[in-house]
Amino acid sequence: MTMNPRTTSAPSRAVERLVRGLPTSDGAGVKLTRVLTQDLQRRLDPFLMLDAFRNDNPDDYMAGFPDHPHRGFETVTYMIAGRMRHRDSVGNEGLLGPGGAQWMTAGGGLIHSELPEQEDGLMEGFQLWLNLPARNKMVAPSYRDIPPEAIPEFTNADGVRVRIIAGASHGTAGAVERPDTEPLYLDVHMPANSRFTQPIPAGHNAFTYTYRGGVSIAGTMIPDRHMAILDNDGADAVVIDAKEASRLLIVAGKPLAEPIAQYGPFIMNTAEEIQRTLRDYRDGLFEGASVNRL
Ligand code: CO
């Protein structure tokens, strides 16, 4: 009798809950699906939001996200298809294209715009919001463009291609590391009949989001365009099986376990800090001298 390696690998975290997401629009009318909604912020701490957008009708994306402020966290934008131009009040500008990422630390505050740089074709990608610990919420804002070739990747024996936007996977370090929340952000491309196992430290909150095909985790089917929140008890890994060619994100991180106070694009720890933020914004403190050049 031969051992089947598929039945002897590490046990997987189970799926606690499937989430379809909420169709909505944001910015100047961009249609998107809010996958990680405000009611899941505690459960998925340190992650505050995940938006998925996938539109081939320009009317659903052309207006983009004109000037708007942020304070108190980081935004991670990852493009699958299409181009978006970023400009901010700190003076940064960048063009985000297919397979590239943008990591923006809003910190103490900035104003930015994210505008499509195409008039037709598919626009597809994700924006994830990662919280900052209380002591870092007011750090100076910063911004980093990560072109596709700067995102480390590997292919496993099953032909699974893994792109590592943040964290590390199977000995390969990703493009970004964050010590406080140890975020893991993978884009995983699975051929038919393949398996991928990703260790996840005990206690870290984790979820997947399928954006092509469909996968199964510990016996639960996760269809296209669904988030699976992974159970925190037991196994320190997630084992993903794909019968058909599929693509998904795997996201995990260490919870901050700090109070969360959100008012739209501002995420602080207390209501007082939000009031202060609104005053600062009204008083023009988010507008660096460079904003006038944009
Ligand atoms: Co924004």
Side-chain angles (χ1 to χ4, degrees):
M1 199 172 109
T2 56
M3 298 282 283
N4 180 351
R6 298 213 161 182
T7 58
T8 55
S9 62
S12 179
R13 289 192 184 201
V15 174
E16 177 181 294
R17 187 176 157 192
L18 286 180
V19 176
R20 176 94 211 224
L22 190 70
T24 183
S25 71
D26 207 339
V30 178
K31 285 193 181 160
L32 53 83
T33 301
R34 186 139 299 159
V35 179
L36 197 173
T37 46
Q38 208 169 345
D39 57 312
L40 292 171
Q41 287 175 341
R42 288 241 64 93
R43 174 62 188 84
L44 294 175
D45 178 9
F47 303 103
L48 300 161
M49 193 188 84
L50 176 69
D51 281 348
F53 50 94
R54 180 172 166 184
N55 301 312
D56 48 21
N57 178 356
D59 293 343
D60 294 339
Y61 64 72
M62 267 317 289
F65 303 88
D67 276 353
H68 60 278
H70 291 292
R71 174 182 274 181
F73 60 101
E74 302 184 275
T75 68
V76 186
T77 310
Y78 180 54
M79 291 299 279
I80 304 297
R83 287 173 203 286
M84 287 264 234
R85 185 167 293 275
H86 164 99
R87 286 189 178 93
D88 67 41
S89 54
V90 184
N92 297 304
E93 177 170 347
L95 181 63
L96 186 60
Q102 177 213 81
W103 198 289
M104 186 184 81
T105 305
L110 52 60
I111 296 172
H112 77 152
S113 63
E114 301 153 289
L115 298 171
E117 194 135 302
Q118 65 187 48
E119 291 174 357
D120 54 31
L122 179 66
M123 172 74 76
E124 180 176 15
F126 307 94
Q127 188 169 87
L128 178 72
W129 288 10
L130 171 65
N131 211 351
L132 286 167
R135 70 175 189 287
N136 288 342
K137 279 186 176 290
M138 296 299 286
V139 295
S142 62
Y143 162 89
R144 187 179 153 201
D145 268 320
I146 308 167
E149 62 275 14
I151 297 181
E153 57 177 74
F154 67 89
T155 302
N156 80 3
D158 271 10
V160 177
R161 179 178 166 220
V162 182
R163 311 192 75 226
I164 310 158
I165 300 153
S169 181
H170 296 269
T172 302
V176 174
E177 285 184 22
R178 284 288 178 272
D180 294 299
T181 48
E182 300 173 30
L184 174 76
Y185 189 173
L186 306 180
D187 176 22
V188 182
H189 301 198
M190 304 183 71
N193 299 309
S194 65
R195 165 171 284 190
F196 177 63
T197 299
Q198 173 62 43
I200 297 171
H204 286 206
N205 291 325
F207 64 90
T208 66
Y209 183 75
T210 308
Y211 68 94
R212 290 288 189 284
V215 299
S216 84
I217 297 175
T220 301
M221 280 301 307
I222 300 126
D224 191 19
R225 304 193 207 203
H226 279 71
M227 172 166 73
I229 298 177
L230 303 179
D231 207 319
N232 281 45
D233 301 327
D236 292 343
V238 60
V239 182
I240 299 161
D241 286 297
K243 281 211 171 77
E244 57 177 314
S246 301
R247 290 165 66 169
L248 72 154
L249 308 178
I250 301 176
V251 178
K254 183 179 171 186
L256 288 167
E258 294 177 342
I260 299 168
Q262 177 171 8
Y263 182 86
F266 309 125
I267 304 185
M268 303 299 288
N269 300 108
T270 67
E272 291 71 25
E273 288 167 350
I274 290 291
Q275 289 306 320
R276 166 84 196 273
T277 298
L278 292 170
R279 277 202 307 279
D280 288 352
Y281 180 54
R282 191 191 57 213
D283 293 348
L285 298 190
F286 283 51
E287 296 167 38
S290 56
V291 77
N292 299 318
R293 292 197 271 113
L294 301 181

